[in-house]
Amino acid sequence: RPIMQADAASVRDGASLSEGGSTSRKNQIQPRKPQAWRERAHYTLFRRRPHMSNFTRALHAGDIAFHLHSYTNARAHEEAGPLAIERGEGVFVYDTDGRRYIEAMAGLWSVALGFDEPRLVEAAIEQMRKLPFYHTFTHKTHQPAIELAEKLISLAPVPMSKVHFTNSGSEANDTVVKMVRYYNNARDLPRKKKIISRIGAYHGVTVAAASLTGLPNNHRAFDLPLPNILHTLCPHYYRFAEAGETETAFIDRLAREFEALIEREGPDTVAAFIGEPVMAAGGVIVPPTGYWSRIQEICRRYDILLVADEVVCGFGRTGSMFGCTTFGIEPDIMVLSKQLSSSYQPLAAVLINDKVYQQVASQSAAIGTFGHGFTASGHPVATAVALENIRLIEERGLVENAKRMGKRLLSGLSRYADHSLVGEIRGIGFIAAVELVADKSTKARFDPAGRVGAYFNACCQSHGMIVRNIGDSIAFCPPLIAKEGHVDQILDCFSKALEDTDRWTR
């Protein structure tokens, strides 16, 4: 068996994802591996790779000595070290020893155009030469920010009025929290400040955004969530439907619980509902047909703003330009990032409709300023790259390509539906997940959660593919430029990893 390295976070941080808020394991059964498997002090996956070059060894030593990683078990990292990526080429990345990996997660759900698009590089260089930085405070602006704002308004699936730029999806969702408060203060509704998110949601990691996030490890030891942030049920039918419950009945129950939560808290205190069209980091949860129309109707009835977090779904991921189009969502506020610039530059955007803008504008007039923004809000290089990125998505028909390649991916994954480890195969557009289970008939999870998924993740890496295990769900989110051969390579690596994992768990 090869010695493999996995992302330590995928074991420790992924274990509780998409749990629906329950920590009970009464319905779980023991994994097929003996007890000793779970008691090893040093998990095989975290042993460092052999046969590293001296250059790579030096990088690993420096990384361990000086770098605190995001979403990583720091103690495990001291032993495991990193996978150091040196360069990219299309849908592939290469480590510092020249090993090639197909990037089946587009980095972090984000690199739509692959890892070496020359037109994005040239757009950045050209703007760096012309105007490497300027800000958007106190009536200042520049051409790329203006043109990108106009482009985003023209692309929006529903009428929007203004765009506010930030540097990340987390900052954008923090901005939304502040803007919702600002909006209702302008309306003289000082009690209407609570925001409802969902169990299993992911909306970022800053203090307010992490509070919106509905994943336990984003709250533990950070003293989160903040007050006035609430979480309603996760719309994962496979995992949380009751015995004999149809999809329609499941949606009815979630809608009743959402409305009951509003009534318990007081409709005059609930300001907004935020949701991802497809819940990505919560396990690639595709809601049942009709779910969003019910949520939207309740929001309208109670004067609750609807916020669509399109950070992952936006720019073609669901087979439409926006997830809102795919699911018929009509938001008051939209949040965009990731594929907005293919992550070649840090950038995010908050789009607001005219109803929200008019109140924000009036409040800024009353105070004398809209007291919010970042040094790099609407950065000229980032906005120039994003403009070119959107041009390329449109010119190359990548939204339609995502739809075609997504069908190929899901069709290929469906061949494994009867495998004893496979509980559910889910996805839409060019995003998918396979949930691994300990018992197919009962849907029982592995105990401890995340270990089998981490092993599968490492097997994929040993076969030359980077995926992400979210607990024991294996997520796929390839670059939008992927072709048939790339999808087939992903499926081949998946098949090999499934065989490895099946043998290991027996």
Side-chain angles (χ1 to χ4, degrees), residues 61-91:
D63 187 78
I64 291 167
F66 303 116
H67 187 190
L68 178 63
H69 281 254
S70 307
Y71 280 94
T72 301
N73 178 332
R75 289 295 181 214
H77 189 72
E78 291 170 1
E79 180 181 346
L83 173 65
I85 299 300
E86 186 172 52
R87 65 185 181 91
E89 183 180 285
V91 301

Side-chain angles (χ1 to χ4, degrees), residues 188-415:
D188 196 25
L189 296 172
R191 285 171 43 82
K192 202 170 181 66
K193 301 294 172 60
K194 295 174 184 175
I195 299 177
I196 299 176
S197 179
R198 294 177 293 181
I199 295 165
Y202 186 84
H203 298 294
V205 295
T206 52
V207 170
S211 297
L212 296 173
T213 291
L215 301 173
N217 288 342
N218 294 105
H219 297 164
R220 291 173 179 157
F222 293 115
D223 298 337
L224 296 175
L226 294 172
N228 292 330
I229 304 293
L230 311 168
H231 295 85
T232 192
L233 299 177
C234 173
H236 187 186
Y237 177 74
Y238 169 82
R239 183 51 66 188
F240 303 122
E242 296 175 349
E245 191 174 41
T246 65
E247 283 196 357
T248 300
F250 177 66
I251 293 169
D252 288 343
R253 178 163 61 84
L254 267 58
R256 288 195 304 272
E257 169 56 30
F258 178 46
E259 189 165 7
L261 177 59
I262 295 168
E263 290 290 351
R264 285 196 303 271
E265 296 294 327
D268 63 329
T269 72
V270 179
F273 173 85
I274 185 168
E276 308 151 87
V278 173
M279 298 170 74
V284 188
I285 308 305
V286 182
T289 301
Y291 168 80
W292 272 110
S293 63
R294 293 292 301 279
I295 294 297
Q296 189 163 264
E297 185 275 325
I298 293 168
C299 287
R300 296 290 179 253
R301 183 148 36 91
Y302 285 95
D303 184 29
I304 293 171
L305 294 174
L306 182 57
V307 182
D309 183 340
E310 291 261 14
V311 167
V312 170
C313 295
F315 303 98
R317 184 53 61 187
T318 65
S320 304
M321 183 61 80
F322 297 105
C324 286
T325 302
T326 302
F327 293 98
I329 306 168
E330 299 179 354
D332 299 293
I333 300 173
M334 293 176 65
V335 178
L336 310 175
S337 191
K338 292 192 183 289
Q339 291 190 155
L340 171 59
S341 67
S342 282
S343 287
Y344 278 48
Q345 288 282 292
L347 182 66
V350 178
L351 279 62
I352 58 175
N353 64 16
D354 193 62
K355 175 177 73 174
V356 175
Y357 168 70
Q358 292 301 332
Q359 296 295 340
V360 169
S362 295
Q363 186 78 326
S364 74
I367 294 171
T369 186
F370 176 58
H372 180 76
F374 302 92
T375 300
S377 289
H379 193 286
V381 178
T383 48
V385 168
L387 278 165
E388 189 68 3
N389 179 74
I390 295 170
R391 287 190 197 103
L392 287 166
I393 288 173
E394 292 180 322
E395 285 176 16
R396 296 175 180 174
L398 294 184
V399 177
E400 185 59 34
N401 187 65
K403 188 183 297 183
R404 290 196 306 272
M405 294 304 101
K407 287 179 180 177
R408 189 180 189 91
L409 176 62
L410 283 167
S411 175
L413 291 174
S414 69
R415 297 199 299 265

Side-chain angles (χ1 to χ4, degrees), residues 485-506:
H486 301 134
V487 174
D488 293 344
Q489 184 174 343
I490 289 170
L491 292 168
D492 181 61
C493 290
F494 173 84
S495 178
K496 293 174 180 176
L498 187 62
E499 182 180 343
D500 293 341
T501 305
D502 184 50
R503 185 167 52 246
W504 183 72
T505 56
R506 290 189 182 278

Side-chain angles (χ1 to χ4, degrees), residues 8-271:
S10 61
V11 171
R12 189 171 184 88
D13 295 334
S16 297
L17 303 190
S18 201
E19 292 282 343
S22 173
T23 58
S24 171
R25 291 180 174 164
K26 63 183 180 180
N27 293 322
Q28 296 176 355
I29 65 172
Q30 298 302 312
R32 292 184 282 180
K33 200 74 173 174
Q35 179 76 11
W37 163 68
R38 292 180 285 120
E39 294 178 345
R40 293 174 187 159
H42 300 292
Y43 197 44
T44 304
L45 297 174
F46 296 143
R47 291 163 61 183
R48 296 181 201 170
R49 277 183 329 210
H51 314 307
M52 291 189 294
S53 67
N54 289 336
F55 173 70
T56 298
R57 289 183 186 279
L59 279 180
H60 280 214
D63 187 78
I64 291 167
F66 303 116
H67 187 190
L68 178 63
H69 281 254
S70 307
Y71 280 94
T72 301
N73 178 332
R75 289 295 181 214
H77 189 72
E78 291 170 1
E79 180 181 346
L83 173 65
I85 299 300
E86 186 172 52
R87 65 185 181 91
E89 183 180 285
V91 301
F92 299 99
V93 293
Y94 295 77
D95 69 20
T96 49
D97 287 327
R99 296 181 183 90
R100 188 177 81 161
Y101 307 86
I102 189 165
E103 237 299 355
M105 277 300 297
L108 288 174
W109 322 85
S110 59
V111 185
L113 296 182
F115 292 87
D116 68 338
E117 175 49 58
R119 280 176 56 178
L120 297 190
V121 175
E122 289 304 314
I125 292 170
E126 181 181 347
Q127 187 58 46
M128 285 284 283
R129 290 189 176 125
K130 184 177 182 181
L131 183 68
F133 171 75
Y134 211 68
H135 63 86
T136 57
F137 285 30
T138 59
H139 308 283
K140 309 299 192 300
T141 192
H142 46 78
Q143 183 177 346
I146 297 168
E147 291 184 354
L148 181 58
E150 182 179 4
K151 181 64 175 177
L152 294 178
I153 294 297
S154 72
L155 287 175
V158 295
M160 289 287 172
S161 177
K162 299 293 184 293
V163 178
H164 181 84
F165 293 112
T166 72
N167 307 296
S168 69
S170 293
E171 288 181 358
N173 281 323
D174 251 43
T175 296
V176 167
V177 172
K178 292 179 69 178
M179 202 171 284
V180 166
R181 295 177 178 183
Y182 205 81
Y183 166 79
N184 278 317
N185 283 333
R187 299 170 68 205
D188 196 25
L189 296 172
R191 285 171 43 82
K192 202 170 181 66
K193 301 294 172 60
K194 295 174 184 175
I195 299 177
I196 299 176
S197 179
R198 294 177 293 181
I199 295 165
Y202 186 84
H203 298 294
V205 295
T206 52
V207 170
S211 297
L212 296 173
T213 291
L215 301 173
N217 288 342
N218 294 105
H219 297 164
R220 291 173 179 157
F222 293 115
D223 298 337
L224 296 175
L226 294 172
N228 292 330
I229 304 293
L230 311 168
H231 295 85
T232 192
L233 299 177
C234 173
H236 187 186
Y237 177 74
Y238 169 82
R239 183 51 66 188
F240 303 122
E242 296 175 349
E245 191 174 41
T246 65
E247 283 196 357
T248 300
F250 177 66
I251 293 169
D252 288 343
R253 178 163 61 84
L254 267 58
R256 288 195 304 272
E257 169 56 30
F258 178 46
E259 189 165 7
L261 177 59
I262 295 168
E263 290 290 351
R264 285 196 303 271
E265 296 294 327
D268 63 329
T269 72
V270 179

